[in-house]
């Protein structure tokens, strides 16, 4: 029979007594994600304030009638009266546009408030290291952010991206419909790109914070299972 050398026997015993212990992931991947969500939550709270204050400020400081800004020139020339009529028509178009945008702002405030509330749930969960629940909450946050953003863009496309002014001959030089379409496509693309970036950050944090298992242990560090000669 073949004999094991003392050195090989001691190495095998050491491998059996002290198996490879997988390294635990850094808790700062989840804590960093919590900090990132905290920054987004602050941003969403600012969005709530903007969505609430904007209609109030517009209603307070923007008059509905152009006559409240400049009275009609009763004794003016025909040119002055025509200029006033043109300014009045543009003001009415702007007021109508702003009324439509106020609906978008109100939707934005509700959407931002929901995201801020969800973010406040995510932060402590991630900070204490509850990986599974934290990742699911952030994933839900991204889903709500994406759907709400697409809904808001749809509302803006209904209102329009600029007031319906009478641009006169200039409208023939500049394709306003093309500008509207380009603005809408750019808005949708921005929302998609932004949420893809959020998903990338979430995927990175989820991967780096994943607990190590036996399948993650490099084969060269696994102890030998038998005393081979």
């Amino acid at each position: 029979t073949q004999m094991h050398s003392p050195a090989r026997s001691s190495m095998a015993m050491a491998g059996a007594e002290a198996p490879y212990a997988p390294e635990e992931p850094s808790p700062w991947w989840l804590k960093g994600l919590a900090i990132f969500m905290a920054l987004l939550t602050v941003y969403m709270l600012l969005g709530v304030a903007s969505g609430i204050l904007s209609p109030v400020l517009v209603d307070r400081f923007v008059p509905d009638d152009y006559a409240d800004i400049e009275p009609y020139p009763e004794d003016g020339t025909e040119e002055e009266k025509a200029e006033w009529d043109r300014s009045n028509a543009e003001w009415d178009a702007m007021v109508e546009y702003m009324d439509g945008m106020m609906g978008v702002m109100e939707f934005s405030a509700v959407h931002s408030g929901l995201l801020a509330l969800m973010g406040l749930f995510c932060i402590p969960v991630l900070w204490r290291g509850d990986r599974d629940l934290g990742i699911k909450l952030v994933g839900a946050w991204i889903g709500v952010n994406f759907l709400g953003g697409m809904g808001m863009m749809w509302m803006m496309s209904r209102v329009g991206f600029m007031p319906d002014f009478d641009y006169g001959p200039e409208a023939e030089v500049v394709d306003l419909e093309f500008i509207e379409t380009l603005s809408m496509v750019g808005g949708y693309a921005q929302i998609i790109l932004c949420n893809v970036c959020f998903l990338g950050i979430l995927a990175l944090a989820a991967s780096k914070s994943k607990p190590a298992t036996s399948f993650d242990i490099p084969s060269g560090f696994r102890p030998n299972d038998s005393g081979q000669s």
Side-chain angles (χ1 to χ4, degrees):
T1 60
Q2 295 180 345
M3 300 294 293
H4 297 295
S5 66
R8 288 179 62 89
S9 300
S10 61
M11 289 176 63
M13 291 178 62
E17 294 173 359
Y20 175 81
E23 183 179 355
E24 290 296 324
S26 171
W28 281 102
W29 285 105
L30 293 178
K31 292 183 184 294
L33 187 58
I35 294 172
F36 178 69
M37 292 303 299
L39 294 175
L40 289 177
T41 299
V42 172
Y43 178 77
M44 293 303 162
L45 289 174
L46 292 175
V48 173
S50 175
I52 293 175
L53 291 177
S54 293
V56 175
L57 294 175
V58 168
D59 185 62
R60 182 177 179 84
F61 295 106
V62 179
D64 291 334
D65 296 325
Y66 183 69
D68 294 334
I69 301 175
E70 183 177 344
Y72 181 75
E74 297 285 353
D75 300 326
T77 63
E78 292 300 321
E79 184 179 350
E80 290 175 340
K81 292 179 179 180
E83 178 65 25
W84 189 94
D85 289 336
R86 183 163 53 252
S87 298
N88 182 58
E90 291 179 353
W91 184 261
D92 289 342
M94 190 186 73
V95 169
E96 183 181 356
Y97 176 77
M98 291 180 67
D99 287 343
M101 286 301 297
M102 289 306 101
V104 178
M105 293 294 293
E106 291 170 2
F107 175 84
S108 176
V110 174
H111 180 230
S112 297
L114 178 59
L115 289 174
L117 186 62
M118 294 178 67
L120 291 175
F121 278 104
C122 293
I123 295 167
V125 172
L126 291 167
W127 190 263
R128 70 169 179 255
D130 191 342
R131 177 183 176 276
D132 292 341
L133 180 58
I135 295 300
K136 291 177 182 178
L137 287 175
V138 176
W141 187 97
I142 294 174
V144 172
N145 183 60
F146 174 74
L147 293 176
M150 297 296 277
M152 188 165 60
M153 280 303 304
W154 178 81
M155 292 179 66
M156 288 187 66
S157 68
R158 303 276 291 182
V159 175
F161 292 89
M162 61 184 71
D164 187 17
F165 292 146
D166 182 10
Y167 293 94
E170 297 178 1
E172 299 178 1
V173 179
V174 180
D175 190 348
L176 298 178
E177 185 176 349
F178 173 75
I179 295 177
E180 286 270 347
T181 303
L182 186 63
S183 300
M184 182 175 64
V185 172
Y188 280 119
Q190 181 181 6
I191 292 171
I192 293 172
L193 180 61
C194 182
N195 284 278
V196 167
C197 291
F198 288 159
L199 283 174
I201 293 172
L202 176 61
L204 177 64
S207 175
K208 294 295 185 179
S209 63
K210 182 181 178 182
T213 63
S214 60
F215 298 103
D216 301 321
I217 302 173
S219 59
F221 291 93
R222 291 175 183 156
N224 295 328
D225 54 354
S226 62
Q228 298 177 351
S229 58

